[in-house]
Amino acid sequence: MSAVLPALQNLDPELRSGIIECIEHWKDQEGNLIMILHEIQNRHGFVPREASLLLSGETGVPLARIYEVLTFYHYFRLVAQGKHNITVCNGTACYLKGAGRLLAELESRLGIKDNQTTEDRLIHLETVRCVGCCGLSPVVVVDKKTVGKVFPTDMAGIIEGIRNREEKEEDEE
Amino acid sequence: MIIPTVHATINGMKVEVPAGTSILDAARRVQINIPTLCKHRDLLPTAACGLCIVKVGGSRKLPRACATALEEGMDITTHDADLTEVRRTTIELILSNHPNACLTCGRNGSCELQTLAGEFGIRQDCIPRYVRDLPQDCTTGSIVMDFTKCIKCGRCVQVCQEMQNVWALSFLERGINTRMAPAGDIQLNESPCVRCGQCSAHCPTGAIIENDETGAVWEALQDPGKHCTVQVAPSVRVALGEAFGYPPGTDLTGKIYTALRRLGFKAVFDTTFSADLTIVEEASEFVQRFAHGKGEIPLITSCCPAWVDYMEKRFSDFIPNFSTAKSPQQMLGVLAKTYFAEKAGLDPATIYQVSIMPCTAKKWELERTDEMRASGHPDVDIALTTRELARMIKQSGVAFDDLPDGKADSILGTYSGAGLIFGSTGGVMEAALRTAFFQVTGKNLEKEAINIRPIRGLAGIREGTLDIEGTEVRVAVAHGLGNVEKLLLKVRRARENGDPPPYHFIEVMACPGGCIGGGGQPYGVTDEIRLQRIKGLFDGDQSMELRFSHENPEIKQVYSDFLDKPLSEKAHRLLHAHYVSRPAYQR
Ligand code: SF4
Ligand code: SF4
Ligand code: FES
């Protein structure tokens, strides 16, 4: 019953109908907020703010509550992922073998911090607790491919590799 | 329903309390204070801080007294060397995540954490400090949030979500990363926050404080080119004393006038005078709508800026129901810079008008719409809270206790008892009904009938009726924004079904207790204190000769000299305002 939220004025119609569909589907079920958020993330790779605003308006669940849920679970993402992903393992073994230095090197080369994406949306950087390859520590995961026993000096090459592959793809197109 | 009684011992003393009473409250009955940091008497326990732990019989567990009910036969120990040691460690742990910034903190001297650290004799940092780096949020202009000082007690979130139903604040993330913020790291002025300041009144530390603007006022007072004038709101006079050791509810009007003159204000006005003016305009508006069918019913009061903001964001379909009469703060401001300026032969551009308010949202009201500059200048230049005034008086070296009683200026300073109760929940309604009755019947309510008791008190929603010459006027009063939705939904339902409105007149104040419980009042408010402050206002009303706004001689004079009559063209231009629908989130 109040003014239209600025963020919703130019909402992509496809996004809107997708969300309305999710809400309709889960409407009468217990715990539906989480299910709806799951589905939104599955469709988009993250939960856009517009989606949460719309969800709040449609269901009457305050936006503050939605964000409490979104930020409580590490699973949910609030920003679009980059096209490529570099994950630094920060589990105990990797931590002891210098994961911190790997992260610092990546951060300075990419000009972003942990859990951020480069401005061109090409590379997303994140850390996780343990990827389960402690024998190979320290480990980074590049687009689902695990690279073990790496040194800070290897980081430049990893970034370079991603950029080269990307350029090649563009040429082929 | 009979609630069974529970018998137990606390520190060897026998206690008998109704089942369900917390150990904390039971201990208070035998004069024992268990230390608390997260629990507030207005709120449900969150059991976050762990300071209120106690021993029960031989058990090794240490339950939290705030969140544990006393049970039959329990043998409680609240204080011994072990418990003191555990509590001290808990405080040390909290301090290790808290900046060591007491000397420059807005709560220096009134902080609950600082007090406990003092009482427990903590003399050094035992645990290495880790304070998360988070930026301050000063975007509302009303309150300042510095979450590095947050101890995560959860009071503000409970206040904002449950007590006020605003949901501007939330608990984001979890564990050590938990923090209070509006949904999704936007600024507070982009959120649904209505600047009520209740979070600041409940926060135990300096994490949320009022935006202190005393510096600007000192500067203006020093400026020879400025003619500084001031107005003081009804509810300030029965609460300011708490900052100087007076019992809550002590009416200190006379001392406050003197103090303001000593601070250097050249004219001292009283917002209680303009409360009478708001009443006359608003009651006239009510009679227009109720008796002459001109405009929507119910009429809804609009003197509380936090409520106005809330309505504009959440219930803008009620805009036609809102009284267009400005709040007393704004009415006084515009008269000071027009009528008073003319009479005193002053250039309104040189007048610097300060208001002393119980409220943080009043700071925002000054710029709410262009209509707040109806005089051609900002009608009020700056709004200070009661807490800020207390600080100014203390800085000034004025010995407040010893001050003689002073008087307000003789124009814009005289008030009725009806204006006085404006500061309490239900008071605006009561005052308006007294005047509306007169406007319809030409007679005043008499003796006991002047007191409209069903709408007094602290129940969240109160209803009443008044018989005006055979026609029944149905009214409702709500305070604490969390109580409003129910009332408005009832009205909306009737409207949608084409039924007659359930009420003709509704009063809403955003803060529990009304202005006397405002977000800018002295700290430590509980319902007990709210009732004492309210009593201060109603006792004042009862003891006055003048109990009707429309009989205030200065009000009559302002109309005959300047405004013509209630709702005149000029009154509309200077004393009325409009509302717009606003988005709850800016992004
Ligand atoms: S900001 Fe204050 S009231 Fe809110 S959780 Fe932190 S310490 Fe408690
Ligand atoms: S000022 Fe009122 S509305 Fe704003 S955050 Fe604090 S409690 Fe919520
Ligand atoms: S007062 Fe009981 S846990 Fe904080």
Side-chain angles (χ1 to χ4, degrees), chain B residues 143 145 156 159-160 164 166-169 188 192-200 208 360:
Chain B
I143 53 176
M145 299 201 155
C156 58
V159 163
C160 193
Q164 298 297 68
V166 172
W167 294 82
L169 288 177
L188 205 56
C193 170
V194 296
R195 302 168 169 85
C196 67
Q198 283 300 319
C199 52
S200 77
I208 311 178
T360 48

Side-chain angles (χ1 to χ4, degrees), chain B residues 17-68:
Chain B
V17 293
T21 306
S22 70
I23 297 174
L24 181 68
D25 287 338
R28 282 188 184 132
R29 297 210 181 182
V30 282
Q31 301 82 41
I32 297 167
N33 282 328
I34 300 172
T36 55
L37 193 49
C38 62
K39 175 76 178 81
H40 189 287
R41 290 194 202 196
D42 278 351
L43 306 171
L44 295 171
T46 55
C49 75
L51 273 180
C52 64
I53 44 148
V54 291
K55 289 184 179 170
V56 183
S59 163
R60 294 178 52 122
K61 284 199 200 132
L62 301 175
R64 298 179 182 209
C66 66
T68 312

